[in-house]
Amino acid sequence: MNRRQPEKKFIILDDNQQTLASAILMEQQGQRKIFELTSTPSIDLLSLPAINILSLNSTEFMAWRGKVERLRGDQFYFWAEDRIDERLRRHLRIPMSFQTYLYPVSGVLFRLPVVSKDISCGGIAIYSMEPLLTDQVFEIALPCTEPPLLVRLKVLRPLPSGSNLYSCQFVDLLPAEEAMIQECIFEYDLHHHSA
């Protein structure tokens, strides 16, 4: 029997970017890959014309679009038809609400309470009762990762909703931090949709 490779965890998405399940890569030979499911899929994977599989915790991004050829217990055989561009991972936004704090990187030492609206590997949208200025840089505590992270972000712009909502971009992320954020996002989405 093949041994699991914990460093090769993946998330399975449909073409509408809905999280379906998680899996571990067991073996690969060219375009044919064998995965072991680590969660129960929310839909019959064989019934879909195609699925998207993205690496979760690898510093080298791996992702494919293709077909499930067959299921055998918790294992499925996947034929990778196309490679997926890394931009999908970076820009896929998941609604996620949590309370946290912004910490200025210079100037007055205070913490500013904020609430998240959504998050991606590239950034976060936050509600702030205090006005934020474009290009301001803060550190933000991300309680959704395990362990919690303190990362830098830059305020890009207020969003037009008129409700103190701001678009922010993560800056200076280490590859391991980005991998932790990505894993947190997809694990949250997987458990949120299956709840």
Side-chain angles (χ1 to χ4, degrees):
M1 188 62 165
N2 295 325
R3 289 186 15 210
R4 285 187 177 185
Q5 300 175 10
E7 70 280 1
K8 302 225 178 163
K9 294 185 345 184
F10 286 77
I11 198 75
I12 303 166
L13 305 172
D14 66 14
D15 282 337
N16 295 320
Q17 313 308 319
Q18 295 299 310
T19 306
L20 303 176
S22 57
I24 293 175
L25 180 62
M26 302 299 290
E27 185 180 320
Q28 63 178 332
Q29 294 177 344
Q31 290 176 272
R32 178 164 283 119
K33 294 150 192 353
I34 301 172
F35 289 90
E36 182 175 323
L37 291 166
T38 55
S39 69
T40 303
S42 58
I43 191 169
D44 177 13
L45 298 178
L46 281 169
S47 71
L48 297 173
I51 61 171
N52 303 284
I53 299 182
L54 287 74
S55 59
L56 268 184
N57 62 343
S58 173
T59 54
E60 176 196 347
F61 180 69
M62 296 180 283
W64 308 277
R65 183 174 190 277
K67 295 184 68 111
V68 174
E69 294 181 318
R70 72 176 189 242
L71 283 164
R72 183 179 292 162
D74 285 343
Q75 287 192 346
F76 70 92
Y77 295 76
F78 175 76
W79 182 260
E81 296 170 349
D82 298 302
R83 289 190 74 83
I84 295 175
D85 190 308
E86 188 167 356
R87 288 175 293 183
L88 174 66
R89 172 182 71 163
R90 183 167 290 273
H91 298 293
L92 180 63
R93 291 197 167 274
I94 302 293
M96 184 187 296
S97 179
F98 54 82
Q99 295 180 344
T100 189
Y101 295 94
L102 295 181
Y103 302 91
V105 294
S106 62
V108 180
L109 296 176
F110 67 95
R111 67 181 190 173
L112 180 63
V114 295
V115 175
S116 68
K117 177 183 186 282
D118 60 45
I119 188 169
S120 73
C121 290
I124 188 169
I126 55 173
Y127 294 101
S128 172
M129 294 308 293
E130 296 293 322
L132 303 178
L133 302 175
T134 300
D135 293 329
Q136 270 186 297
V137 177
F138 295 93
E139 288 186 326
I140 186 170
L142 296 178
C144 57
T145 61
E146 185 57 45
L149 285 177
L150 189 65
V151 298
R152 285 194 175 197
L153 63 76
K154 179 171 74 170
V155 178
L156 296 179
R157 66 189 167 279
L159 293 172
S161 67
S163 59
N164 299 324
L165 182 61
Y166 296 88
S167 174
C168 302
Q169 176 183 11
F170 296 128
V171 293
D172 303 326
L173 280 183
L174 299 173
E177 292 172 329
E178 185 170 347
M180 286 175 66
I181 293 169
Q182 178 183 2
E183 186 168 5
C184 152
I185 289 168
F186 288 117
E187 287 294 329
Y188 174 87
D189 193 45
L190 177 64
H191 293 106
H192 180 72
H193 277 93
S194 62

